[in-house]
Amino acid sequence: NFYEKLDNLTLFYDTYKKLKTSAAVDHQLKLNEVAWNREEKMKGAYMDALQTQNYEWWVKDIASVNQKIKTGKDKDEVAIEERILSYLSLVCYMQTSGMLKQNNLIAAEYYCKLYKLVDPKNTEADYLMAETKARQADNDAAIKALNESVKNGFKDIKRLESDSAFNRLQSNPQFIKVKESITK
């Protein structure tokens, strides 16, 4: 509506009318709808799996998804698998954050492990594991996870310094090294 007053849009309206009645376009839209419905079912199955499957199942399944992405010939199928991994990354982040807020450290650690499995280069997966380990008073594991987060690109020094989970570590020489590696 905005552009209609600025220019002649006849070409666009004509193109729209042709596409609207095109059998090929209609066919592709139906294929897209089938794919989206299948993807939604996959998401639902994964949500159920979060409650029912153990870590070993996840290791095998995510390896299978990554293999499909790596070797898939159908770009649409590969895109679905990539979106599923992105979805699972977000779900794992939300689950981990929720468990940390509830101070359920065992569940938080489990979801962090899944998060790392699903999205291994995501700095947040390692950061949340560091936070979980710090709350569990496992300083070495917390430092190790922080170093991995920094290696993957974590740079939010203010967040790290203000995070109460790391209060006990502020004078730890290894923690100080982590902070220094961020500021370099």
Side-chain angles (χ1 to χ4, degrees):
N1 288 338
F2 174 77
Y3 289 112
E4 193 166 357
K5 296 173 185 171
L6 298 176
D7 205 348
N8 181 356
L9 300 179
T10 304
L11 173 66
F12 296 104
Y13 284 122
D14 290 345
T15 302
Y16 172 72
K17 286 176 189 173
K18 286 177 189 172
L19 292 174
K20 189 175 174 183
T21 59
S22 166
V25 169
D26 188 52
H27 177 72
Q28 187 60 49
L29 288 173
K30 287 178 181 170
L31 289 177
N32 288 352
E33 185 176 347
V34 168
W36 282 108
N37 287 336
R38 190 167 59 77
E39 187 174 331
E40 288 303 312
K41 285 181 184 174
M42 290 171 70
K43 288 177 183 178
Y46 276 117
M47 288 304 290
D48 292 341
L50 280 173
Q51 306 305 317
T52 61
Q53 298 297 336
N54 63 23
Y55 185 75
E56 289 74 26
W57 180 89
W58 282 99
V59 169
K60 289 177 188 172
D61 192 79
I62 297 305
S64 173
V65 170
N66 283 320
Q67 186 64 28
K68 289 175 190 174
I69 290 170
K70 185 177 180 182
T71 62
K73 305 277 187 250
D74 183 341
K75 67 179 179 65
D76 294 330
E77 291 299 314
V78 168
I80 288 172
E81 298 294 342
E82 289 173 335
R83 285 193 301 271
I84 289 294
L85 282 183
S86 293
Y87 170 77
L88 287 172
S89 176
L90 178 61
V91 168
C92 288
Y93 167 79
M94 291 170 35
Q95 291 291 332
T96 303
S97 296
M99 293 301 108
L100 284 171
K101 285 179 183 159
Q102 296 174 27
N103 207 34
N104 185 342
L105 300 180
I106 293 170
E109 183 174 353
Y110 177 74
Y111 288 117
C112 273
K113 286 172 61 178
L114 288 182
Y115 194 5
K116 182 74 173 169
L117 180 67
V118 167
D119 199 353
K121 296 296 181 186
N122 190 316
T123 63
E124 197 65 21
D126 294 305
Y127 185 89
L128 292 175
M129 181 61 86
E131 187 175 337
T132 301
K133 290 300 185 179
R135 288 185 185 191
Q136 292 171 335
D138 187 346
N139 295 346
D140 291 339
I143 298 291
K144 181 179 177 187
L146 279 175
N147 278 319
E148 189 68 19
S149 186
V150 171
K151 181 178 127 190
N152 286 330
F154 180 81
K155 297 186 182 323
D156 193 348
I157 189 72
K158 289 180 182 179
R159 177 181 176 196
L160 180 61
E161 290 175 336
S162 66
D163 192 330
S164 63
F166 302 113
N167 284 348
R168 284 192 309 260
L169 293 173
Q170 292 298 329
S171 62
N172 180 307
Q174 292 178 332
F175 185 77
I176 293 168
K177 282 183 183 177
V178 170
K179 291 192 318 184
E180 288 171 354
S181 69
I182 292 171
T183 57
K184 285 183 181 175

